[in-house]
Structures are given as structure tokens and as C-alpha cells.
Amino acid sequence: AFYSRDPRFSFILLPENVGKRKAQIAAIGQSSGDLVLNVDSDSTIAFDVVSKLASKMGDPEVGAVMGQLTASNSGDTWLTKLIDMEYWLACNEERAAQARFGAVMCCCGPCAMYRRSALASLLDQYETQLFRGKLSDFGEDRHLTILMLKAGFRTEYVPNAIVATVVPDTLKPYLRQQLRWARSTFRDTFLVLPLLRGLNPFLTLDVVGQNIGPLLLALSVVTGLAHFIMTATVPWWTILIIASMTIIRCSVVALHARQLRFLGFVLHTPINLFLLLPLKAYALCTLSNSDG
């Protein structure tokens, strides 16, 4: 009510909840700026985010750019603390490395800026994405980013453009979110494969690793469990290798970030092994489903 009296703001009230894609398209159609900033409703951007993202968009070859995500409720529970660290890793390792080679593979919804001239030719494809003949109604951010890359634009990451977003504080909504994201990743991997031949080889390794890596880790866990069931002996080598890799990774990140809190990220390993890996396997087997 307060902002509706300000002539700088325009509010679009849709008759019903039509989903994120149609809402975005309605807003883009009624705006006129050269750049379009998407901010999710549960996110808050820092005062200088717009200028920092817009500065990166000064390069006409850049079609989309994202900022760094943090959890606004990171102090609420042990899970929100882990997710906040997970976001730091996703942004400052994965996205930063991808940006080094000119193609961030997913500009995240909490804070992403797009070039209007690039969007104009992509919205029809974006709105009507199909998977096995059915409209796809999740994974909007990843799909729109891939469409940008297919159109020949670069996608970038700006680490000092900070956005705080609300993250799940209990396991059930977190796992529902991860299920949607896993299906989206698997679905859009098929779309991105033809692009890889024109991108840096690192990005091929990254895409393959993100999809094959969890499956190989799951195979190791299943093999270890089978060994225990069949021989009644604990597979100490498997446990030792996974534990060692976890400790080394968390120590390197703690050193890189200069934050000791990342040593606590070792707690994410059992969640990954016993919850996220089975969930990703389920997602791969139910790609046509749209339920959470």
C-alpha cells in the first residue's frame, strides 16, 4: 500500500497464481529498461547490488549476471548454518570457476540481472519449455540461463553483489527443494550438452562431474553396504577415504574463506550420503514428475 502511491513503482496483480515464469513474463512485458533485475520475494539485496550487476552488464556480450547468495536466516538452526555454507561454496567455488570460463550455468533467482534485448527473443521458449510432452513448471533459473547461453551470450558472477535469501530451516522443506533442483539439473543437462562443444573444456568437465560424481559416490556407498551385508565386516577403507576427502575439502575451504566455520561443514557429508544421494537417484527415476 505504501509503495503503490510512489509513481516510480508499478504493481501487476494477476488474477491467480500462474507460476514464476508467467509472472516474470507479465512484468517484463510492462517494463521498459535495458536491464531486467529478478529478485525472489523472500530475498533482500544490498544497497549497491544494482550498480554492481549493471556494471558487469556494460559488456554487450554478457546476457545475464548473478550476485552472491547468503542465507538471511543462517543463525536460526543447524541446517540454515549448513545451507549458508553450501551457498558460499556454490557461489565462490562453482559459479566463480564457471564465470572464469565465460558461462555460469545457472544464474540463481534470488538475484539475477538480464539484458532485455536478449530476453525478448527467448521468452516464448522460456514459457513453453516441455519435457516429454509436458510443460515444465520448475527449474526456471537454470533454464533461462541455458537459453541465454544458447543465444550466444556470456553469463557472469559478481561476488561482491550480496543478496540474502530465506532458506529452509527444517529437513522436509529442504529435501523438497533439493528434489526440484535435482530434477531441473538432470532435465537441463540434456539441453546443455550440444552447447558444450562451443564452450571451454572445463565446463564440459564441470557438467559431467556434477551429474556423474554423485552417481559414483552413491555407487561407492552401495558397494560398502553390500560388503558389510555379505561379509559382516566394516568397509573401513571406504569410510576412511570418504572421511579423509571430507576433512581435506572443508579444511581447504576454511583456509580459502579464512573462516573456521567451514570445518563444521563436515556435518553435511552424512546428509549428502544418506539423504541427498538417494533423493537424486529418485529424481533421476522420476524426471517427468512435477510434484515436490
Side-chain angles (χ1 to χ4, degrees), residues 64-121:
V65 61
M66 66 168 284
Q68 179 178 174
L69 308 185
T70 64
S72 59
N73 57 334
S74 61
D76 286 1
T77 68
W78 63 270
L79 181 59
T80 59
K81 289 181 173 66
L82 286 178
I83 295 174
D84 186 53
M85 289 186 275
E86 187 178 12
Y87 279 13
W88 192 97
L89 291 166
C91 290
N92 294 295
E93 289 194 341
E94 179 187 313
R95 278 8 179 240
Q98 291 172 350
R100 171 65 178 79
F101 298 101
V104 172
M105 305 307 290
C106 178
C107 291
C108 300
C111 184
M113 182 175 282
Y114 301 94
R115 188 175 302 281
R116 172 181 295 281
S117 58
L119 280 177
S121 61

Short mmCIF file of all heavy atoms in Angstrom, two decimals, residues 64-121:
data_model
loop_
_atom_site.label_atom_id
_atom_site.label_comp_id
_atom_site.label_asym_id
_atom_site.label_seq_id
_atom_site.Cartn_x
_atom_site.Cartn_y
_atom_site.Cartn_z
N ALA A 64 23.46 -12.27 -18.96
CA ALA A 64 22.90 -12.43 -17.62
C ALA A 64 24.03 -12.45 -16.61
O ALA A 64 25.15 -12.88 -16.90
CB ALA A 64 22.08 -13.71 -17.53
N VAL A 65 23.71 -12.01 -15.40
CA VAL A 65 24.71 -11.96 -14.33
C VAL A 65 24.01 -12.17 -12.99
O VAL A 65 22.86 -11.76 -12.81
CB VAL A 65 25.48 -10.62 -14.37
CG1 VAL A 65 24.54 -9.45 -14.18
CG2 VAL A 65 26.60 -10.58 -13.36
N MET A 66 24.69 -12.82 -12.06
CA MET A 66 24.10 -13.08 -10.74
C MET A 66 25.03 -12.58 -9.65
O MET A 66 26.24 -12.39 -9.86
CB MET A 66 23.84 -14.57 -10.54
CG MET A 66 25.09 -15.44 -10.49
SD MET A 66 24.79 -17.13 -9.90
CE MET A 66 24.61 -16.84 -8.12
N GLY A 67 24.46 -12.35 -8.45
CA GLY A 67 25.23 -11.95 -7.30
C GLY A 67 25.48 -13.13 -6.37
O GLY A 67 25.11 -14.27 -6.66
N GLN A 68 26.13 -12.83 -5.23
CA GLN A 68 26.44 -13.87 -4.26
C GLN A 68 25.28 -14.07 -3.28
O GLN A 68 24.76 -13.10 -2.71
CB GLN A 68 27.70 -13.52 -3.47
CG GLN A 68 28.05 -14.57 -2.44
CD GLN A 68 29.31 -14.29 -1.67
OE1 GLN A 68 29.66 -15.00 -0.73
NE2 GLN A 68 30.03 -13.23 -2.05
N LEU A 69 24.90 -15.32 -3.08
CA LEU A 69 23.78 -15.64 -2.18
C LEU A 69 24.27 -15.92 -0.78
O LEU A 69 25.28 -16.61 -0.58
CB LEU A 69 23.03 -16.87 -2.70
CG LEU A 69 22.55 -16.87 -4.15
CD1 LEU A 69 21.71 -18.12 -4.42
CD2 LEU A 69 21.75 -15.62 -4.46
N THR A 70 23.54 -15.42 0.20
CA THR A 70 23.74 -15.77 1.60
C THR A 70 22.38 -16.11 2.20
O THR A 70 21.34 -15.73 1.65
CB THR A 70 24.37 -14.61 2.39
OG1 THR A 70 23.45 -13.50 2.41
CG2 THR A 70 25.69 -14.18 1.78
N ALA A 71 22.37 -16.81 3.30
CA ALA A 71 21.13 -17.16 3.99
C ALA A 71 20.81 -16.07 5.01
O ALA A 71 21.58 -15.83 5.94
CB ALA A 71 21.25 -18.51 4.68
N SER A 72 19.68 -15.39 4.83
CA SER A 72 19.31 -14.32 5.76
C SER A 72 18.98 -14.87 7.14
O SER A 72 19.07 -14.15 8.14
CB SER A 72 18.12 -13.54 5.20
OG SER A 72 17.00 -14.39 5.01
N ASN A 73 18.57 -16.14 7.21
CA ASN A 73 18.23 -16.77 8.49
C ASN A 73 19.28 -17.80 8.88
O ASN A 73 18.97 -18.84 9.48
CB ASN A 73 16.85 -17.42 8.41
CG ASN A 73 16.73 -18.45 7.28
OD1 ASN A 73 17.45 -18.36 6.28
ND2 ASN A 73 15.83 -19.40 7.43
N SER A 74 20.53 -17.53 8.55
CA SER A 74 21.60 -18.50 8.78
C SER A 74 21.77 -18.87 10.25
O SER A 74 22.26 -19.96 10.56
CB SER A 74 22.93 -17.98 8.22
OG SER A 74 23.30 -16.78 8.87
N GLY A 75 21.39 -18.00 11.15
CA GLY A 75 21.58 -18.28 12.56
C GLY A 75 20.44 -19.02 13.23
O GLY A 75 20.50 -19.28 14.43
N ASP A 76 19.42 -19.39 12.47
CA ASP A 76 18.21 -19.97 13.08
C ASP A 76 18.42 -21.40 13.57
O ASP A 76 18.05 -21.74 14.69
CB ASP A 76 17.04 -19.92 12.09
CG ASP A 76 16.49 -18.51 11.93
OD1 ASP A 76 17.03 -17.59 12.58
OD2 ASP A 76 15.52 -18.33 11.17
N THR A 77 18.94 -22.29 12.72
CA THR A 77 19.09 -23.70 13.06
C THR A 77 20.41 -24.22 12.53
O THR A 77 21.10 -23.57 11.75
CB THR A 77 17.94 -24.56 12.47
OG1 THR A 77 18.07 -24.58 11.02
CG2 THR A 77 16.58 -24.00 12.84
N TRP A 78 20.76 -25.45 12.94
CA TRP A 78 21.97 -26.07 12.43
C TRP A 78 21.88 -26.24 10.91
O TRP A 78 22.90 -26.12 10.20
CB TRP A 78 22.19 -27.43 13.10
CG TRP A 78 21.09 -28.43 12.81
CD1 TRP A 78 19.95 -28.62 13.53
CD2 TRP A 78 21.03 -29.34 11.70
NE1 TRP A 78 19.16 -29.59 12.95
CE2 TRP A 78 19.80 -30.06 11.84
CE3 TRP A 78 21.87 -29.63 10.64
CZ2 TRP A 78 19.41 -31.04 10.93
CZ3 TRP A 78 21.48 -30.61 9.73
CH2 TRP A 78 20.27 -31.30 9.88
N LEU A 79 20.66 -26.47 10.39
CA LEU A 79 20.50 -26.68 8.95
C LEU A 79 20.72 -25.38 8.18
O LEU A 79 21.38 -25.38 7.13
CB LEU A 79 19.11 -27.24 8.65
CG LEU A 79 18.81 -27.54 7.18
CD1 LEU A 79 19.81 -28.54 6.61
CD2 LEU A 79 17.38 -28.04 7.00
N THR A 80 20.19 -24.27 8.67
CA THR A 80 20.39 -23.00 7.97
C THR A 80 21.86 -22.59 7.96
O THR A 80 22.33 -21.97 7.01
CB THR A 80 19.53 -21.87 8.58
OG1 THR A 80 19.88 -21.70 9.96
CG2 THR A 80 18.05 -22.19 8.47
N LYS A 81 22.59 -22.96 9.02
CA LYS A 81 24.03 -22.69 9.03
C LYS A 81 24.73 -23.49 7.93
O LYS A 81 25.60 -22.96 7.22
CB LYS A 81 24.62 -23.05 10.40
CG LYS A 81 24.24 -22.11 11.54
CD LYS A 81 24.91 -22.55 12.83
CE LYS A 81 24.69 -21.54 13.97
NZ LYS A 81 23.26 -21.47 14.36
N LEU A 82 24.35 -24.76 7.79
CA LEU A 82 24.96 -25.60 6.75
C LEU A 82 24.59 -25.09 5.36
O LEU A 82 25.44 -25.07 4.46
CB LEU A 82 24.51 -27.05 6.91
CG LEU A 82 25.13 -27.86 8.05
CD1 LEU A 82 24.54 -29.26 8.09
CD2 LEU A 82 26.64 -27.92 7.91
N ILE A 83 23.34 -24.68 5.17
CA ILE A 83 22.91 -24.19 3.86
C ILE A 83 23.64 -22.90 3.51
O ILE A 83 24.02 -22.68 2.35
CB ILE A 83 21.38 -23.98 3.82
CG1 ILE A 83 20.66 -25.32 3.99
CG2 ILE A 83 20.95 -23.32 2.52
CD1 ILE A 83 19.15 -25.20 4.10
N ASP A 84 23.86 -22.03 4.49
CA ASP A 84 24.59 -20.80 4.23
C ASP A 84 26.00 -21.12 3.74
O ASP A 84 26.51 -20.49 2.79
CB ASP A 84 24.65 -19.96 5.51
CG ASP A 84 25.28 -18.60 5.28
OD1 ASP A 84 24.82 -17.88 4.37
OD2 ASP A 84 26.24 -18.25 5.99
N MET A 85 26.64 -22.11 4.35
CA MET A 85 27.96 -22.53 3.88
C MET A 85 27.87 -23.18 2.50
O MET A 85 28.74 -22.97 1.64
CB MET A 85 28.60 -23.49 4.89
CG MET A 85 29.03 -22.82 6.18
SD MET A 85 29.95 -23.92 7.30
CE MET A 85 28.59 -24.73 8.16
N GLU A 86 26.81 -23.94 2.28
CA GLU A 86 26.60 -24.57 0.98
C GLU A 86 26.46 -23.51 -0.12
O GLU A 86 27.02 -23.65 -1.22
CB GLU A 86 25.34 -25.45 1.04
CG GLU A 86 25.08 -26.29 -0.18
CD GLU A 86 23.85 -27.17 -0.02
OE1 GLU A 86 23.07 -26.95 0.94
OE2 GLU A 86 23.65 -28.06 -0.86
N TYR A 87 25.73 -22.43 0.18
CA TYR A 87 25.58 -21.34 -0.79
C TYR A 87 26.92 -20.66 -1.06
O TYR A 87 27.21 -20.28 -2.20
CB TYR A 87 24.57 -20.31 -0.26
CG TYR A 87 23.12 -20.69 -0.48
CD1 TYR A 87 22.76 -21.98 -0.85
CD2 TYR A 87 22.10 -19.76 -0.30
CE1 TYR A 87 21.43 -22.33 -1.04
CE2 TYR A 87 20.77 -20.10 -0.49
CZ TYR A 87 20.44 -21.39 -0.86
OH TYR A 87 19.13 -21.72 -1.05
N TRP A 88 27.72 -20.47 -0.02
CA TRP A 88 29.04 -19.84 -0.21
C TRP A 88 29.87 -20.69 -1.17
O TRP A 88 30.52 -20.16 -2.08
CB TRP A 88 29.75 -19.69 1.12
CG TRP A 88 30.97 -18.81 1.05
CD1 TRP A 88 31.04 -17.49 1.37
CD2 TRP A 88 32.29 -19.21 0.64
NE1 TRP A 88 32.33 -17.03 1.17
CE2 TRP A 88 33.10 -18.05 0.71
CE3 TRP A 88 32.85 -20.41 0.19
CZ2 TRP A 88 34.45 -18.07 0.37
CZ3 TRP A 88 34.19 -20.42 -0.16
CH2 TRP A 88 34.97 -19.27 -0.06
N LEU A 89 29.85 -21.99 -0.96
CA LEU A 89 30.61 -22.89 -1.83
C LEU A 89 30.08 -22.86 -3.26
O LEU A 89 30.86 -22.80 -4.22
CB LEU A 89 30.55 -24.32 -1.29
CG LEU A 89 31.29 -24.56 0.02
CD1 LEU A 89 30.88 -25.89 0.63
CD2 LEU A 89 32.79 -24.54 -0.21
N ALA A 90 28.75 -22.89 -3.41
CA ALA A 90 28.15 -22.89 -4.73
C ALA A 90 28.49 -21.61 -5.49
O ALA A 90 28.71 -21.64 -6.71
CB ALA A 90 26.63 -23.05 -4.62
N CYS A 91 28.54 -20.50 -4.78
CA CYS A 91 28.83 -19.21 -5.44
C CYS A 91 30.32 -19.01 -5.65
O CYS A 91 30.77 -18.72 -6.77
CB CYS A 91 28.26 -18.06 -4.61
SG CYS A 91 26.45 -17.96 -4.61
N ASN A 92 31.11 -19.15 -4.60
CA ASN A 92 32.51 -18.72 -4.64
C ASN A 92 33.47 -19.81 -5.11
O ASN A 92 34.67 -19.53 -5.28
CB ASN A 92 32.93 -18.20 -3.27
CG ASN A 92 32.18 -16.93 -2.92
OD1 ASN A 92 32.34 -15.91 -3.57
ND2 ASN A 92 31.33 -17.01 -1.91
N GLU A 93 32.98 -21.01 -5.30
CA GLU A 93 33.79 -22.04 -5.93
C GLU A 93 33.20 -22.39 -7.30
O GLU A 93 33.80 -22.15 -8.33
CB GLU A 93 33.89 -23.29 -5.05
CG GLU A 93 34.76 -23.08 -3.82
CD GLU A 93 35.12 -24.38 -3.14
OE1 GLU A 93 34.43 -25.40 -3.38
OE2 GLU A 93 36.09 -24.40 -2.36
N GLU A 94 31.98 -22.93 -7.30
CA GLU A 94 31.38 -23.40 -8.55
C GLU A 94 31.09 -22.27 -9.53
O GLU A 94 31.61 -22.25 -10.66
CB GLU A 94 30.09 -24.16 -8.24
CG GLU A 94 29.38 -24.67 -9.48
CD GLU A 94 28.02 -25.27 -9.14
OE1 GLU A 94 27.95 -26.06 -8.17
OE2 GLU A 94 27.04 -24.93 -9.83
N ARG A 95 30.27 -21.27 -9.13
CA ARG A 95 29.91 -20.17 -10.03
C ARG A 95 31.14 -19.34 -10.41
O ARG A 95 31.28 -18.92 -11.56
CB ARG A 95 28.88 -19.26 -9.41
CG ARG A 95 27.39 -19.59 -9.43
CD ARG A 95 26.95 -20.92 -9.92
NE ARG A 95 25.51 -21.06 -9.85
CZ ARG A 95 24.88 -22.00 -9.14
NH1 ARG A 95 25.57 -22.87 -8.42
NH2 ARG A 95 23.56 -22.10 -9.17
N ALA A 96 32.01 -19.09 -9.44
CA ALA A 96 33.20 -18.30 -9.73
C ALA A 96 34.10 -19.00 -10.76
O ALA A 96 34.65 -18.35 -11.66
CB ALA A 96 33.98 -18.04 -8.44
N ALA A 97 34.24 -20.31 -10.63
CA ALA A 97 35.05 -21.06 -11.59
C ALA A 97 34.40 -21.06 -12.97
O ALA A 97 35.07 -20.88 -13.99
CB ALA A 97 35.25 -22.49 -11.10
N GLN A 98 33.09 -21.25 -13.01
CA GLN A 98 32.38 -21.22 -14.29
C GLN A 98 32.51 -19.86 -14.96
O GLN A 98 32.73 -19.76 -16.18
CB GLN A 98 30.91 -21.57 -14.08
CG GLN A 98 30.67 -23.02 -13.67
CD GLN A 98 29.22 -23.28 -13.28
OE1 GLN A 98 28.42 -22.35 -13.14
NE2 GLN A 98 28.88 -24.54 -13.10
N ALA A 99 32.37 -18.79 -14.18
CA ALA A 99 32.47 -17.44 -14.72
C ALA A 99 33.86 -17.18 -15.30
O ALA A 99 34.00 -16.44 -16.29
CB ALA A 99 32.15 -16.41 -13.64
N ARG A 100 34.87 -17.79 -14.69
CA ARG A 100 36.24 -17.64 -15.21
C ARG A 100 36.32 -18.09 -16.67
O ARG A 100 37.14 -17.59 -17.44
CB ARG A 100 37.20 -18.45 -14.33
CG ARG A 100 38.63 -18.57 -14.85
CD ARG A 100 39.32 -17.24 -14.89
NE ARG A 100 40.70 -17.36 -15.34
CZ ARG A 100 41.07 -17.49 -16.61
NH1 ARG A 100 40.15 -17.52 -17.56
NH2 ARG A 100 42.34 -17.59 -16.95
N PHE A 101 35.46 -19.04 -17.04
CA PHE A 101 35.46 -19.56 -18.41
C PHE A 101 34.25 -19.10 -19.21
O PHE A 101 33.91 -19.66 -20.24
CB PHE A 101 35.54 -21.09 -18.36
CG PHE A 101 36.79 -21.59 -17.72
CD1 PHE A 101 36.79 -22.04 -16.41
CD2 PHE A 101 38.00 -21.57 -18.41
CE1 PHE A 101 37.96 -22.49 -15.80
CE2 PHE A 101 39.17 -22.01 -17.80
CZ PHE A 101 39.15 -22.47 -16.50
N GLY A 102 33.55 -18.05 -18.71
CA GLY A 102 32.56 -17.35 -19.51
C GLY A 102 31.15 -17.89 -19.50
O GLY A 102 30.32 -17.42 -20.29
N ALA A 103 30.83 -18.85 -18.61
CA ALA A 103 29.48 -19.42 -18.67
C ALA A 103 29.04 -19.95 -17.31
O ALA A 103 29.23 -21.13 -17.00
CB ALA A 103 29.41 -20.54 -19.71
N VAL A 104 28.47 -19.08 -16.49
CA VAL A 104 27.79 -19.54 -15.28
C VAL A 104 26.57 -20.35 -15.73
O VAL A 104 25.75 -19.87 -16.52
CB VAL A 104 27.35 -18.35 -14.41
CG1 VAL A 104 26.47 -18.81 -13.26
CG2 VAL A 104 28.57 -17.61 -13.88
N MET A 105 26.45 -21.58 -15.26
CA MET A 105 25.44 -22.49 -15.80
C MET A 105 24.05 -22.28 -15.21
O MET A 105 23.07 -22.79 -15.73
CB MET A 105 25.87 -23.95 -15.61
CG MET A 105 27.24 -24.27 -16.18
SD MET A 105 27.44 -23.79 -17.92
CE MET A 105 26.37 -24.98 -18.72
N CYS A 106 23.96 -21.53 -14.11
CA CYS A 106 22.65 -21.22 -13.52
C CYS A 106 22.75 -19.91 -12.76
O CYS A 106 23.39 -19.84 -11.71
CB CYS A 106 22.18 -22.34 -12.59
SG CYS A 106 20.59 -22.00 -11.80
N CYS A 107 22.13 -18.85 -13.31
CA CYS A 107 22.03 -17.57 -12.60
C CYS A 107 20.82 -17.65 -11.67
O CYS A 107 19.67 -17.70 -12.12
CB CYS A 107 21.87 -16.43 -13.60
SG CYS A 107 23.36 -16.12 -14.57
N CYS A 108 21.08 -17.68 -10.38
CA CYS A 108 20.04 -18.02 -9.41
C CYS A 108 18.99 -16.92 -9.23
O CYS A 108 19.31 -15.73 -9.25
CB CYS A 108 20.69 -18.33 -8.06
SG CYS A 108 21.84 -19.71 -8.15
N GLY A 109 17.75 -17.34 -9.02
CA GLY A 109 16.60 -16.46 -8.95
C GLY A 109 16.62 -15.39 -7.88
O GLY A 109 16.09 -14.30 -8.10
N PRO A 110 17.20 -15.63 -6.70
CA PRO A 110 17.19 -14.57 -5.69
C PRO A 110 17.77 -13.25 -6.15
O PRO A 110 17.39 -12.20 -5.67
CB PRO A 110 18.02 -15.19 -4.55
CG PRO A 110 17.78 -16.65 -4.68
CD PRO A 110 17.71 -16.90 -6.15
N CYS A 111 18.71 -13.30 -7.11
CA CYS A 111 19.28 -12.04 -7.61
C CYS A 111 19.98 -12.30 -8.94
O CYS A 111 21.13 -12.74 -8.96
CB CYS A 111 20.26 -11.46 -6.60
SG CYS A 111 20.92 -9.85 -7.09
N ALA A 112 19.28 -12.03 -10.04
CA ALA A 112 19.86 -12.21 -11.37
C ALA A 112 19.41 -11.07 -12.28
O ALA A 112 18.24 -10.68 -12.26
CB ALA A 112 19.44 -13.55 -11.95
N MET A 113 20.34 -10.53 -13.04
CA MET A 113 20.04 -9.44 -13.97
C MET A 113 20.19 -9.95 -15.41
O MET A 113 21.13 -10.68 -15.71
CB MET A 113 20.97 -8.26 -13.72
CG MET A 113 20.71 -7.06 -14.62
SD MET A 113 21.78 -5.64 -14.17
CE MET A 113 20.92 -5.02 -12.71
N TYR A 114 19.23 -9.55 -16.26
CA TYR A 114 19.22 -10.00 -17.64
C TYR A 114 19.19 -8.80 -18.60
O TYR A 114 18.66 -7.74 -18.27
CB TYR A 114 17.99 -10.87 -17.92
CG TYR A 114 17.90 -12.10 -17.04
CD1 TYR A 114 17.16 -12.07 -15.85
CD2 TYR A 114 18.55 -13.27 -17.39
CE1 TYR A 114 17.08 -13.18 -15.04
CE2 TYR A 114 18.47 -14.40 -16.58
CZ TYR A 114 17.74 -14.35 -15.41
OH TYR A 114 17.67 -15.46 -14.61
N ARG A 115 19.72 -9.01 -19.79
CA ARG A 115 19.67 -8.00 -20.84
C ARG A 115 18.34 -8.12 -21.57
O ARG A 115 18.01 -9.19 -22.08
CB ARG A 115 20.84 -8.20 -21.81
CG ARG A 115 21.00 -7.08 -22.82
CD ARG A 115 22.25 -7.30 -23.66
NE ARG A 115 23.45 -7.37 -22.83
CZ ARG A 115 24.07 -6.32 -22.31
NH1 ARG A 115 23.59 -5.10 -22.52
NH2 ARG A 115 25.15 -6.48 -21.56
N ARG A 116 17.58 -7.01 -21.62
CA ARG A 116 16.25 -7.05 -22.22
C ARG A 116 16.29 -7.51 -23.69
O ARG A 116 15.47 -8.32 -24.11
CB ARG A 116 15.57 -5.69 -22.15
CG ARG A 116 14.25 -5.61 -22.93
CD ARG A 116 13.63 -4.25 -22.84
NE ARG A 116 13.25 -3.97 -21.46
CZ ARG A 116 12.16 -4.47 -20.89
NH1 ARG A 116 11.34 -5.24 -21.58
NH2 ARG A 116 11.88 -4.20 -19.65
N SER A 117 17.23 -7.00 -24.46
CA SER A 117 17.29 -7.35 -25.87
C SER A 117 17.50 -8.86 -26.06
O SER A 117 17.03 -9.44 -27.04
CB SER A 117 18.42 -6.58 -26.56
OG SER A 117 19.67 -6.83 -25.93
N ALA A 118 18.20 -9.49 -25.12
CA ALA A 118 18.40 -10.94 -25.17
C ALA A 118 17.13 -11.67 -24.75
O ALA A 118 16.74 -12.67 -25.36
CB ALA A 118 19.57 -11.34 -24.29
N LEU A 119 16.48 -11.14 -23.70
CA LEU A 119 15.25 -11.78 -23.21
C LEU A 119 14.15 -11.79 -24.26
O LEU A 119 13.40 -12.77 -24.37
CB LEU A 119 14.73 -11.04 -21.97
CG LEU A 119 15.38 -11.34 -20.62
CD1 LEU A 119 14.77 -10.44 -19.56
CD2 LEU A 119 15.18 -12.80 -20.25
N ALA A 120 14.05 -10.71 -25.03
CA ALA A 120 12.92 -10.55 -25.96
C ALA A 120 12.76 -11.73 -26.90
O ALA A 120 11.64 -12.15 -27.20
CB ALA A 120 13.10 -9.25 -26.75
N SER A 121 13.88 -12.29 -27.34
CA SER A 121 13.81 -13.39 -28.30
C SER A 121 13.71 -14.76 -27.64
O SER A 121 13.58 -15.77 -28.33
CB SER A 121 15.05 -13.35 -29.20
OG SER A 121 16.24 -13.52 -28.43
#
